Amino acid sequence: MLIATEEAFAPPEYITEFLALVERQDTPVTRYLKIYYTRAESVRQLTDLDFRLAEMDRFDVSMHVLSVAAPGPQAFDAPTGSSIATLANDMLVEAIQRHPTRFAGLGAVAPQDPVRAVREVERIMGSLGLSGVIINSHTHGEYLDQEKFRPLLDACEALSAPIYLHPTFPSEVMIAPYVDYGMMGALWGFGADASLHVVRMILGGVFDRNPDLQVVLGHLGEGLPFWLDRLDNRYANILRRGGSELLGSLPLEMLPSEYFRRNFHVTTSGMNTRPALDFTLDRLGSDRVMFAIDYPYEQTQQAVEFIRSVTLPEDEMSAITQDNARRLFRLLI
Ligand code: MN
């Protein structure tokens, strides 16, 4: 069985709202998204479940864990974003009810309204029975270590809702050097923003306050597994030189890498090479790595052929392709 864990979908209403946003605002991000959301094929891949199921069947993918396409409800003002999140979550539940063995889903929230986002997490994990929460990295330049998001993280921790911290475009104050060579999307900007977000959360003490919170990262951890030793080394070095005031918050209870190993899972989305997978498995262990395609932005065939080509002990393969997802997202299949 093959469970894919970072698979984007979108309600047609979300596409419509996006195209309206593109008309209202001329920014590097809206120009970038306009190219994507005006292509009929891209829209079909995101909105048409039967089209998706045919592709899953073609390559023997058992299940998609669905989440709303980036940048998601976070791109809008608070009321519009909150409504889009609610609408996307209702559509997700409908899809799962129609195909309970083929789809599971992560509920969307609009953190720009933190109070309503907490209520939506309660609905996501309560009456909707979804598997966790999707957050597309920063929200209008604000990161989850900020005080205002603490109730949202508390709710996710209390309800055992893993947060899939999916990448998005760098924020308005960061984006300029990414624009001229097309670097602001998945080419470079996504990973730069998501990894910045994670380091902020760790150094801001989020995981001392919420030790049971689980965060999922795509793209084999957005470069961070490669950085774990250096993060520890440089963090300890600042403390050793008496620079603790530079670190801003209270001293952490553990080293940065220890939080990464305790509070994070990573998925293989878009990272279909053996050395990168082997390195990540060596750093994190096979119980924190999960298969993902990143449909429709990456090719199902490539991701499936890659994971099927990997030779590992059977229990490790089973952990990566299905068991970890089943446990973390409490899947019923
Ligand atoms: Mn993705």
Side-chain angles (χ1 to χ4, degrees):
M1 189 176 276
L2 196 50
I3 300 174
T5 55
E6 186 193 312
E7 314 313 324
F9 85 103
E13 295 88 343
Y14 167 89
I15 309 276
T16 309
E17 281 290 347
F18 246 113
L19 293 175
L21 184 75
V22 164
E23 291 311 310
R24 284 198 306 276
Q25 291 179 8
D26 182 32
T27 69
V29 171
T30 59
R31 281 196 290 278
Y32 189 104
L33 288 170
K34 187 176 184 174
I35 294 170
Y36 196 82
Y37 287 124
T38 49
R39 278 180 60 219
E41 194 201 354
S42 309
V43 172
R44 183 166 194 203
Q45 287 170 324
L46 286 170
T47 57
D48 185 336
L49 291 179
D50 293 325
F51 187 78
R52 176 189 302 264
L53 281 166
E55 168 122 337
M56 291 164 67
D57 290 340
R58 197 173 316 131
F59 298 104
D60 223 5
V61 175
S62 317
M63 176 177 261
H64 271 191
V65 179
L66 300 169
S67 50
V68 72
Q74 289 159 261
F76 301 95
D77 61 45
T80 312
S82 301
S83 307
I84 287 176
T86 303
L87 184 126
N89 295 340
D90 290 339
M91 177 179 164
L92 201 47
V93 170
E94 259 177 54
I96 295 166
Q97 281 170 351
R98 256 189 292 152
H99 303 281
T101 62
R102 308 305 303 278
F103 298 132
L106 306 175
V109 294
Q112 55 272 49
D113 182 343
V115 175
R116 200 163 154 190
V118 167
R119 285 209 306 272
E120 193 63 18
V121 171
E122 289 164 355
R123 200 172 76 100
I124 287 165
M125 300 308 289
S127 60
L128 299 187
L130 294 171
S131 296
V133 169
I134 176 92
I135 295 182
N136 289 294
S137 196
H138 70 85
T139 301
H140 298 302
E142 296 187 308
Y143 297 86
L144 291 172
D145 56 287
Q146 291 195 18
E147 184 65 31
K148 68 196 285 190
F149 300 126
R150 205 182 281 196
L152 175 58
L153 300 188
D154 288 346
C156 289
E157 184 188 42
L159 299 169
S160 299
I163 297 175
Y164 204 118
L165 192 67
H166 187 278
T168 195
F169 304 93
S171 70
E172 216 175 305
V173 295
M174 306 279 273
I175 202 165
Y178 293 87
V179 175
D180 42 0
Y181 303 130
M183 291 157 56
M184 62 187 162
L187 192 154
W188 192 253
F190 275 20
D193 175 70
S195 55
L196 168 71
H197 199 154
V198 170
V199 178
R200 283 197 66 88
M201 289 175 78
I202 291 176
L203 292 186
V206 163
F207 302 101
D208 287 333
R209 295 192 290 276
N210 298 110
D212 294 326
L213 184 66
Q214 292 297 318
V215 177
V216 186
L217 299 173
H219 319 103
L220 287 178
E222 311 292 1
L224 288 163
F226 203 83
W227 268 81
L228 293 179
D229 297 311
R230 185 152 173 83
L231 284 170
D232 289 353
N233 172 15
R234 292 293 92 190
Y235 176 75
N237 190 263
I238 291 174
L239 285 178
R240 199 163 47 239
R241 290 191 313 203
S244 58
E245 77 275 10
L246 296 176
L247 294 168
S249 60
L250 294 169
L252 298 175
E253 291 168 13
M254 306 195 299
L255 288 169
S257 72
E258 294 178 298
Y259 298 101
F260 199 82
R261 290 194 170 88
R262 186 187 70 182
N263 295 94
F264 288 80
H265 291 71
V266 306
T267 76
T268 61
S269 52
M271 301 292 268
N272 300 313
T273 59
R274 191 66 204 262
L277 177 64
D278 286 342
F279 180 81
T280 309
L281 288 170
D282 178 66
R283 311 280 41 210
L284 302 182
S286 57
D287 55 355
R288 291 198 170 258
V289 179
M290 296 182 284
F291 174 72
I293 299 164
D294 208 356
Y295 174 92
Y297 310 106
E298 300 284 350
Q299 300 305 309
T300 302
Q301 180 169 4
Q302 197 182 13
V304 171
E305 282 176 0
F306 168 66
I307 203 68
R308 294 296 184 208
S309 76
V310 171
T311 46
L312 283 172
E314 202 178 319
D315 58 329
E316 287 191 51
M317 270 315 281
S318 183
I320 295 167
T321 53
Q322 48 180 311
D323 298 339
N324 296 339
R326 227 184 247 125
R327 185 186 64 244
L328 183 68
F329 299 127
R330 291 183 290 184
L331 305 177
L332 297 173
I333 59 161

